[in-house]
Amino acid sequence: MIWNPAKECMSRDEMHALQSKRLQKLVNYVYHNTPFYRNKMQAMDISPEDIKSIDDIVKLPFTTKQDLRDNYPYGLQAAPSSEIVRVHASSGTTGNPTIVGYTRKDLAVWSEVMARALTSFGVTRDDTFSVSYGYGLFTGGLGAHYGVENLGATVIPTSTGNTEKHIRLIRDLKISGIACTPSYALYLAETLEKMGISKDDINLRIGAFGAEPWTENMRKEIEQRLGLKGYNLYGLSEIVGPGVSYECSEQNGSHVNEDHYYPEIIDPDTLEQLPYGTTGELVFTTLTKEGMPLLRYRTKDLCTLYDEECACGRKSVRMGRIVGRSDDMLIIRGINVFPSQVESVILEMNEFEPQYLLVVERKGNLDTLQVQVEVRKDFFSDDIGRMLAMKKRLADKLKSVLSIAADIKLMEPNSIARSEGKSKRVIDNRMLK
Ligand code: ADP
Ligand code: ZN
């Protein structure tokens, strides 16, 4: 089933024409409503009249997460605040969170693209669907929620937490679909097994998994343990939230909703646009957004775009799996963590050398973060009470900065390997590739 064949199966030529029209309108709109873009365009000596087709997009300036932070909270908002009906914020990174305002039309587009995704996964009005992304400032919960309602299936807003109760609901309400992170799906499977409930006792058949990188092996494991079919759902709050792209029954990449979010791949060093089929940094332009439209937003996600036709009938461009990031951001249990955040906490405390190592593991299907840090000579002692208190002080500070708990391992002076070139601060043992 295809939710919106007119858009999802539009010919490449028609799509090109539609994108061109929408880009022209967008550039005019931001030029007149966002001083940030007007200034950037004037500095580059371009005006809205220079944009005649979607191919002219290469003339436009990029936008980065730093731009959003520097213009916190509402600097890139184009619509007047009276038009904004909802605000989300992206999860904890260093500095200011990213604030994204949506107009009524933006929300309607979001539930449209989510309905396309869910239909592509095989969800119908007859399904009972549990949304187990977090509800709140995070875009996952409410984004998926309105998509399920728009499609007409029954939504169960379970959010995260209280997994045993959730599993009883899955069984008793005959929940047939679920949206959550792949790591939460594995945790669900584990809890199911602990509770002595077999996958044959439940009716889950479709999983919409995203918000963090995952692999084919994880897909197989989740599918096998929960007895469902898992589909990839991609998105980011700056662009809209979940629903930017979605897999189809062919599972050979995720179709991009490119009538709303125009994708490009660039070389992260030269910033040149790269042809389809080449791996590089994914960039999106929000062709129809009103609240906080963005030109050429650099996602930092590395992947490849494909424009070969897909057997499912959709003609939209597909993106391959995210194979990495062009920055050092880690995603641990869906939360963004930068090594620099850990570093700044350590540097604030006299007890430690600026020598540390982040070790990320997947234990029992849950991601864990260990922070190894060197204690300064003057502070190192065999007084266990003192050492434990030091450990707790660091753990508490890290928890408040990162929003996730880290296991702290205090190291003796000079025990962490020094490097001669670029220091290695992260060991990620999750084997995601
Ligand atoms: P949040 O909505 O958590 O605040 P962000 O917008 O910070 O979310 O997170 C978006 C990032 O999450 C993406 O840029 C990408 O790195 C990652 N992500 C989201 N969905 C997927 C997916 N299906 N596969 C891989 N990575 C994903
Ligand atoms: Zn397809």
Side-chain angles (χ1 to χ4, degrees):
M1 283 284 288
I2 296 178
W3 178 256
N4 187 343
K7 291 289 168 6
E8 293 172 87
C9 307
M10 189 177 254
S11 75
R12 297 306 302 154
D13 285 348
E14 281 176 297
M15 181 61 80
H16 189 272
L18 180 67
Q19 290 170 331
S20 297
K21 198 175 87 195
R22 288 184 167 175
L23 182 67
Q24 279 176 296
K25 195 171 162 202
L26 169 74
V27 170
N28 249 302
Y29 177 64
V30 297
Y31 192 84
H32 292 107
N33 294 285
T34 321
F36 169 83
Y37 282 124
R38 185 165 55 246
N39 294 340
K40 274 206 169 194
M41 286 174 61
Q42 283 171 348
M44 294 165 77
D45 207 19
I46 37 169
S47 68
E49 295 73 56
D50 295 323
I51 306 303
K52 299 196 171 60
S53 103
I54 191 74
D55 305 322
D56 291 324
I57 200 163
V58 293
K59 297 177 182 163
L60 292 169
F62 289 102
T63 313
T64 63
K65 189 144 190 133
Q66 193 59 43
D67 290 328
L68 296 177
R69 292 218 188 96
D70 293 345
N71 292 281
Y72 174 86
Y74 291 127
L76 269 78
Q77 190 175 297
S81 57
S82 56
E83 294 297 315
I84 301 295
V85 295
R86 188 174 331 145
V87 166
H88 281 282
S90 89
S91 49
T93 49
T94 32
N96 295 326
T98 304
I99 305 293
V100 188
Y102 300 72
T103 64
R104 209 173 280 285
K105 187 181 151 218
D106 292 338
L107 293 183
V109 170
W110 195 4
S111 26
E112 153 77 18
V113 294
M114 271 306 305
R116 290 184 195 175
L118 293 162
T119 304
S120 176
F121 302 159
V123 181
T124 72
R125 296 170 60 96
D126 297 329
D127 281 294
T128 300
F129 197 95
S130 156
V131 175
S132 279
Y133 287 122
Y135 279 65
L137 286 173
F138 175 57
T139 53
L142 286 168
H145 181 104
Y146 281 89
V148 180
E149 280 194 0
N150 185 24
L151 185 146
T154 308
V155 64
I156 314 288
T158 44
S159 196
T160 48
N162 207 341
T163 305
E164 295 197 3
K165 179 173 169 194
H166 185 186
I167 286 174
R168 283 194 291 275
L169 287 177
I170 289 177
R171 185 190 57 197
D172 301 343
L173 306 186
K174 302 203 179 340
I175 289 175
S176 49
I178 183 170
C180 61
T181 59
S183 47
Y184 186 71
L186 283 172
Y187 182 65
L188 210 60
E190 235 175 29
T191 312
L192 196 76
E193 285 151 24
K194 258 192 218 140
M195 289 168 73
I197 298 177
S198 141
K199 66 177 177 191
D200 302 326
D201 300 333
I202 59 171
N203 296 276
L204 279 180
R205 60 182 197 94
I206 296 170
F209 302 131
E212 67 185 4
W214 58 308
T215 58
E216 279 310 316
N217 284 340
M218 274 178 81
R219 167 153 38 210
K220 278 192 211 111
E221 181 160 350
I222 297 170
E223 289 185 338
Q224 201 252 318
R225 290 173 71 176
L226 286 178
L228 50 64
K229 204 156 167 45
Y231 293 87
N232 189 44
L233 175 65
Y234 169 88
L236 62 165
S237 38
E238 291 83 352
I239 300 306
V240 70
V244 173
S245 73
Y246 53 94
E247 270 182 342
C248 62
S249 51
E250 301 300 310
Q251 302 199 311
N252 55 0
S254 296
H255 288 277
V256 179
N257 281 301
E258 55 169 333
D259 51 330
H260 296 291
Y261 318 115
Y262 183 75
E264 296 174 80
I265 292 288
I266 62 162
D267 178 322
D269 299 320
T270 65
L271 306 184
E272 289 293 318
Q273 194 189 67
L274 300 174
Y276 291 141
T278 321
T279 305
E281 182 180 334
L282 184 61
V283 168
F284 282 108
T285 298
T286 61
L287 293 177
T288 55
K289 224 174 168 193
E290 297 178 334
M292 193 186 75
L294 296 180
L295 299 181
R296 309 189 82 195
Y297 181 71
R298 295 185 57 186
T299 65
K300 305 282 178 182
D301 289 326
L302 301 176
C303 75
T304 314
L305 292 174
Y306 304 94
D307 67 343
E308 291 88 19
E309 245 177 64
C310 182
C312 76
R314 290 175 186 79
K315 298 217 165 58
S316 43
V317 159
R318 283 164 292 132
M319 51 183 267
R321 277 189 188 276
I322 306 297
V323 295
R325 305 241 335 148
S326 68
D327 63 10
D328 56 357
M329 186 177 92
L330 291 163
I331 303 183
I332 303 173
R333 280 178 255 152
I335 308 249
N336 303 343
V337 173
F338 285 88
S340 54
Q341 291 174 288
V342 175
E343 182 168 303
S344 65
V345 170
I346 288 171
L347 288 174
E348 276 168 21
M349 297 177 68
N350 289 330
E351 297 94 317
F352 305 111
E353 295 284 353
Q355 295 295 341
Y356 63 93
L357 190 63
L358 275 57
V359 184
V360 190
E361 308 265 5
R362 177 154 288 149
K363 283 187 191 146
N365 296 320
L366 208 61
D367 294 343
T368 61
L369 170 66
Q370 183 189 63
V371 175
Q372 303 182 0
V373 57
E374 252 181 53
V375 180
R376 278 186 204 282
K377 256 205 185 89
D378 332 347
F379 286 90
F380 198 83
S381 74
D382 34 22
D383 179 340
I384 292 184
R386 261 182 64 190
M387 297 298 275
L388 283 179
M390 184 190 297
K391 192 165 151 176
K392 179 160 187 330
R393 271 200 303 282
L394 177 58
D396 290 347
K397 280 196 184 194
L398 278 177
K399 175 90 202 280
S400 76
V401 171
L402 302 179
S403 323
I404 58 164
D407 164 37
I408 311 288
K409 188 168 178 194
L410 298 181
M411 308 289 286
E412 286 181 34
N414 270 314
S415 59
I416 293 181
R418 311 299 200 247
S419 84
E420 287 168 11
K422 244 174 147 35
S423 60
K424 185 156 176 61
R425 298 294 194 199
V426 177
I427 297 180
D428 194 338
N429 288 326
R430 288 177 293 183
M431 305 276 282
L432 284 176
K433 267 176 221 161

